[in-house]
Amino acid sequence: MENVITNMKEDVRKTRHNIVTVYLTKFGVLAMIAFLALIGMLVSPNFMSANNLLNVLNAVSYLGIVATGISFVIYAGQYGDLSAPMTMAISGVICVEFMRYGLIYGVIAAVATGAMIGLINGFLIGKLRTNAIIWTLAMNFILEGLVRWSYKGTQIYPDMANAKTYTTGFFLPLMMKLDPNILEIDLKTRAAAFNGLASTYIFGLPLVLFVMIIVMITGFIIMSKSTFGNQLKIVGSSYNVAKMSGVNCTKIVILAFMMSSICASIAGVFLTSLNQVGAFYIGQGYDFIAVTAIILGGMSLSGGRGSMLGVFGGVFTIGLISNILTLIGVGTFTQKMITGAIFVVVVAVNASSLRKLGRDYA
Amino acid sequence: MNNKNNYVLEMKKISKRFPGTLAVDCIDFNVKAGEVHALMGENGAGKSTLMKILAGLYNDYSGEIYIAGNKVELYSPYIAKTEGVGMVYQELSIAYNRSVQENIFAGDIPGNGKFVDMKKLRSKTLNALSRVKLDKKIEPSTLMKNVSQHESQLIEMAKVLKDKPRILVMDEPTSSLSSTEVNMLFDIIEELKKDGMAIVYISHHLHEVFKVSDRVTVLRDGKKISTCDISEVTKEQLVEMMVGQKVTDFYKQHAYQDKGKILEVSNLTRYGFIHEVSFQLSKGEILGVVGLAGAGRTELGRCLAGADKVDYGEIILEGEKIKLGSMNKMLSKGIAYLTEDRKLEGLALRLPNKVNILSSIISRLSRFGIYFPSKGKGVLTELYQKLSIYPPDPNVGTSNLSGGNQQKILLAKWLSTKPKVLILDEPTRGVDVGAKKLIHETIVNLAKEGVSVIVLSSDLPELVSLSDRVLAIKQGRIIAELQEEIDENKILLAANG
């Protein structure tokens, strides 16, 4: 080329970064945790004790697992997975059904159930492009009906083993048919193993806390390091751009919903074990609190923005708020109202700060 | 205030800062009654920001604005409207399922507050349409979706004019108009001038500016370079002011030698869009495709790239028959498509540049499901140098870049895939002169390296200077092929069939 570019001009406009806004969006959740810790110390001398903080962590472990999953859906720009509560419930029920062959079978069956639900959600939302909120809400409703219908309105207890038990449920009648001797199974020890899941401690720490940490670390690696996670970022930031970049958007959305449902089913197993009963109401409300925690952690509802560390921060914040409110004697119902109000405020602040930064487009 | 100069609008020392940039830097700008004042500058020069301040879209500008001698503070679109600022944007804001009259009077429907006075609405609409000479052509109750593109643009103008603005701002009003439609628009502007309206005319097209405007102001990098009477400047001087340096010659034509066939397309058909399109492409050839709006140019590109479903047809790439499939598949075979819609389909503006550039090769930079962005670093540096992208930091968010640099990022994104056949749909639309030149040189260099390029463009000078061969497409069919001594007239004639 003879005529090399001669008019390479420098842009003379100065650049400026507003430190405050940058840090607030980046470390907002840390500031919140510090603030809550301060309040907690003022409220109760017991607050900062290792025991209390451990209780907080233990209490939010279930939420943490669910939130890790749902964060993938939000990261994909799909607003949330409202079928999480029933996914938790149905996975718990399935686990109770299969744990009579051994705990590990129960867990595998539960996770497989979650994967199935995620696959269906993902297919309908990714392939047929239905609205995620509406569809997962419908899915939640369908699953609730399914559980209550197949159990004829009853609940399932892990140690319940009379002949009548095997007339209801998803797979129990089939199990009876295949193996009439199933009544002979020593259900007591297996039920005890299942019920003990939620109260198992390792090195003085609850098992479910370890599970949450493992799930979150895995989630972190998948979200930020994997091919899927990086393509998910593009899909969440702009679906059309991802599509025109040769990213298989359908596959990505399906995988995101499968992540969500699988995490929900893991949490469902633990929650069912904690309650020592499989029933449709296990997991109720987890969808909303999880979304609140995720948004608190700085993940944007418009997708493609946020991190797993933020999700953990959000979950921990929810735990602290609940802990402090309990310490000062605020009841569960009032706590619900407060959580709802927090959601509204956080979403509003999030949206307006992004608009100020001029990043709320595309 | 003294008003001896008869200025309807005076903007004094206007500045507006965005995070990271000073978009408008202390600009003085004024318009007289009955004058067309052209506002020119490359992308990112600050034209749009200045006009958005005038339209009341920013409440944190600094400086003073006087309208008809009175100081005003334009802190909301509503204030701007009541002060007499009318804005016709480049992008239309239309409710396509509603009628013309409802669109024009949206928010101001005549009636008693409960029921709509249809008769009054109709007569007011006809009145508004008469100002853009459409009252005899369009029935007010027609649905907007049945109205043609250029008429929609005029209707948008009628909507602004019905509020009787003192100042009318038109942002690239001719970008989707044909030449006869442009002349109609100029007639309308002429009449508005006679009524004493002050008009600000933003355009990239030099000949339009010379035809329609009385004065011209040139901005560059957020600063005002000059304001002068249009009769006092030449085209060359204007370009020089916009670019900042004298542009002596435009890009050179590409001369290619036949290096053998790479792509053979036969009977490619997508019902309703393209019909039995067949052509061949050689290695290192630049093939121009011309066609009027809606002729099937973009659809051809999208079908080749696997973005749209193809009903039947065959593609043979390097002697191997390719089953038409998804974009992902075509990309892995070496066919890449640069979209014409940069904002919607090209770049996720909120992501950093490096993420955008590498977005289509994520899976290629992965091993065992883990993505290694570090492997893309070499490509990134190379592309940044090749395309001289500014600012040279790949961590900057794409939204902070000027239009020209965003287009370079988009080009870089597709270059990173190392395509064999690169389809470029309007590669320089809405891009400033400097970036345009650079993009053209990049395309020519690519062809020299043996990459075959298909340029889908409505920019005739671009096609003339780049193409080795031009195909004309009309109603989804290829109707002509130009090979030698391509010039603008020939292309235009061919495209019109």
Side-chain angles (χ1 to χ4, degrees), chain A residues 21 23 36 52 66 114 150 165 170 173 187-188 203 213 216 220 254-255 258 273 277 290 309 348:
Chain A
T21 30
Y23 276 78
L36 285 171
N52 185 49
V66 179
S150 61
T165 315
F170 292 100
L187 205 51
K188 271 245 164 62
F203 309 125
I213 291 167
M216 278 198 160
F220 170 79
I254 289 177
L255 284 174
M258 284 179 75
S273 158
V277 60
L309 207 66

Side-chain angles (χ1 to χ4, degrees), chain A residues 57-74:
Chain A
L57 276 176
N58 190 9
V60 294
S61 292
Y62 306 90
L63 178 63
I65 298 169
V66 179
T68 305
I70 296 186
S71 69
F72 278 88
V73 170
I74 293 186

Side-chain angles (χ1 to χ4, degrees), chain B residues 18 37 51 86 108 119 128 167 195 198 205 301 305 323 333 356 368 398 407 411 416 432 439-440 448 461 481 493:
Chain B
F18 285 116
H37 195 146
M51 287 304 110
D108 188 21
K119 261 188 199 148
I167 304 149
D195 293 348
H205 297 279
K323 226 178 132 239
K333 297 277 181 199
N356 264 315
F368 310 113
T398 305
Q407 189 69 17
L411 186 61
S416 76
D432 56 75
I439 290 171
H440 284 163
K448 281 184 180 161
E481 183 178 331
L493 285 173

Side-chain angles (χ1 to χ4, degrees), chain B residues 212-266:
Chain B
V212 79
S213 63
D214 303 306
R215 285 196 300 158
V216 57
T217 290
V218 179
L219 306 183
R220 186 171 76 225
D221 298 336
K223 290 196 175 64
K224 182 161 113 174
I225 302 302
S226 167
T227 297
C228 47
D229 282 358
I230 199 76
S231 53
E232 290 169 1
V233 285
T234 61
K235 281 187 186 180
E236 287 72 25
Q237 283 171 324
L238 267 187
V239 170
E240 197 187 319
M241 281 191 250
M242 281 159 64
V243 176
Q245 228 157 10
K246 204 171 167 108
V247 180
T248 42
D249 55 345
F250 271 116
Y251 31 88
K252 272 199 155 180
Q253 191 160 342
H254 174 231
Y256 99 107
Q257 303 94 25
D258 202 333
K259 291 176 194 154
K261 199 163 62 186
I262 182 164
L263 181 75
E264 199 178 340
V265 177
S266 44

Side-chain angles (χ1 to χ4, degrees), chain A residues 63-122:
Chain A
L63 178 63
I65 298 169
V66 179
T68 305
I70 296 186
S71 69
F72 278 88
V73 170
I74 293 186
Y75 203 61
Q78 298 287 354
Y79 305 108
D81 180 357
L82 301 186
S83 68
M86 276 317 296
T87 306
M88 291 170 77
I90 202 167
S91 303
V93 167
I94 295 282
C95 186
V96 171
E97 286 193 3
F98 278 90
M99 62 98 212
R100 59 205 70 229
Y101 295 122
L103 187 57
I104 187 71
Y105 294 103
V107 174
I108 289 170
V111 171
T113 310
M116 274 301 287
I117 294 169
L119 189 66
I120 298 169
N121 279 340

Side-chain angles (χ1 to χ4, degrees), chain A residues 2 13-14 225 245 303 305, chain B residues 20 22 252 350 371 413:
Chain A
E2 304 156 44
R13 283 168 284 188
K14 301 141 210 117
K225 303 286 175 208
S245 306
R305 209 181 285 134
Chain B
L22 192 58
K252 272 199 155 180
R350 64 157 81 129
Y371 173 51
K413 170 174 165 179

